[in-house]
């Protein structure tokens, strides 16, 4: 936690002879009201396994009718899933989705007019990741990419879906302009076909998904 700047090492504690607490530490960083709702701010110190454990349940597999398309999204609100615009278009989104081990109902889909972003509103409440928020990308920032990408030669699960995959990397460029007027950031994590998410990061640990 000292190496991650979450704690400050103040050296030998009073007396210097207490075996269990030989040193003193101070937490000088302040958490926002959003981040203090959960423990995700510890991801910077605890790493990929911690991120995978807390984030995986919020990554959902988005499918279309008659297997016309698929992609991934993240539950950022009890009734809303954030995904890419190209995931839900031109695919005809199925009205019933298997999210978090149960069938839920799609009420409405909102797509941004310019950015490759879409929000799916779900009737039934979903489980979120407390303390998860957005942040601007920074060069060399750690990135974890989540998604249900199709892995070559892999066998689909009993539900017919691809396995959830997490890839790690780092931000390599904070802003790149592409055709269509979009502005993206670049990262080194491996991405496979399936509608990869581009253009936003999350506080504490950067993430993207397909």
């Amino acid at each position: 936690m000292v190496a991650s700047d979450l704690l400050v090492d103040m050296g030998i504690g009073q007396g210097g002879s207490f075996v269990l607490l030989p040193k003193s530490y101070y937490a000088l960083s302040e958490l926002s009201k959003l981040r203090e709702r959960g423990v995700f701010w510890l991801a910077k110190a605890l790493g990929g396994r911690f991120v995978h454990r807390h984030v995986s349940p919020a990554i959902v597999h988005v499918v279309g009718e008659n297997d016309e398309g698929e992609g991934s999204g993240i539950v950022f609100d009890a009734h809303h899933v954030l995904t890419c615009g190209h995931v839900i278009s031109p695919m005809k989104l199925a009205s019933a989705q298997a999210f978090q081990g149960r069938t839920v109902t799609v009420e409405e889909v909102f797509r941004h007019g310019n950015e490759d972003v879409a929000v799916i509103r779900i009737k039934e409440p979903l489980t979120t990741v407390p303390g998860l928020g957005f942040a601007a990308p920074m060069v060399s920032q750690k990135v974890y990419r989540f998604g249900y990408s199709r892995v070559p030669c892999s066998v689909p699960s009993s539900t017919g879906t691809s396995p959830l995959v997490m890839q790690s990397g780092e931000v390599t460029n904070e802003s790149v302009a592409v055709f269509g007027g979009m502005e993206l950031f670049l990262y080194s994590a491996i991405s496979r076909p399936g509608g990869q998410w581009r253009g936003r990061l999350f506080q504490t640990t950067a993430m993207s998904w397909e």
Side-chain angles (χ1 to χ4, degrees):
M1 295 182 73
V2 172
S4 301
D5 297 324
L6 296 178
L7 292 178
V8 177
D9 186 350
M10 300 302 294
I12 302 298
Q14 292 184 354
S17 59
F18 188 27
V19 176
L20 297 179
L21 293 173
K23 288 187 176 183
S24 297
Y25 298 90
Y26 286 88
L28 301 180
S29 60
E30 296 183 3
L31 301 178
S32 65
K33 291 183 178 180
L34 174 62
R35 295 176 67 193
E36 68 182 8
R37 294 176 185 174
V39 296
F40 201 65
W41 55 275
L42 290 170
K44 187 177 180 181
L46 300 183
R49 289 188 179 182
F50 178 85
V51 173
H52 186 274
R53 178 177 179 180
H54 285 271
V55 174
S56 292
I59 306 298
V60 295
H61 191 199
V62 181
V63 298
E65 295 182 355
N66 302 320
D67 297 326
E68 294 176 0
E70 61 179 334
S72 303
I74 185 169
V75 180
F76 74 97
D77 176 85
H79 294 276
H80 296 89
V81 172
L82 184 64
T83 186
C84 293
H86 68 262
V87 167
I88 54 92
S89 177
M91 173 181 73
K92 184 178 181 182
L93 189 67
S95 58
Q97 299 283 335
F99 290 171
Q100 299 182 335
R102 59 196 179 98
T103 301
V104 297
T105 306
V106 174
E107 288 191 323
E108 200 167 354
V109 179
F110 307 90
R111 182 173 180 179
H112 195 281
N114 300 316
E115 301 290 340
D116 187 23
V117 177
V119 174
I120 305 172
R121 186 164 68 193
I122 304 298
K123 180 179 180 180
E124 297 80 5
L126 300 170
T127 302
T128 62
V129 181
L132 191 64
F134 293 101
M138 296 182 294
V139 170
S140 80
Q141 186 177 13
K142 189 74 173 181
V143 172
Y144 295 100
R145 185 198 65 81
F146 289 79
Y148 289 94
S149 54
R150 295 184 177 181
V151 181
C153 300
S154 65
V155 178
S157 66
S158 58
T159 59
T161 63
S162 302
L164 176 63
V165 176
M166 182 182 85
Q167 298 281 356
S168 63
E170 62 180 21
V171 176
T172 57
N173 192 295
E174 298 171 356
S175 177
V176 176
V178 298
F179 292 110
M182 289 195 301
E183 182 182 359
L184 312 177
F185 69 89
L186 302 181
Y187 59 87
S188 60
I190 297 174
S191 292
R192 294 184 175 90
Q196 66 229 24
W197 168 257
R198 300 161 295 181
R200 294 292 183 272
L201 293 181
F202 291 97
Q203 280 186 343
T204 305
T205 301
M207 294 189 301
S208 63
W209 66 91
E210 293 184 340

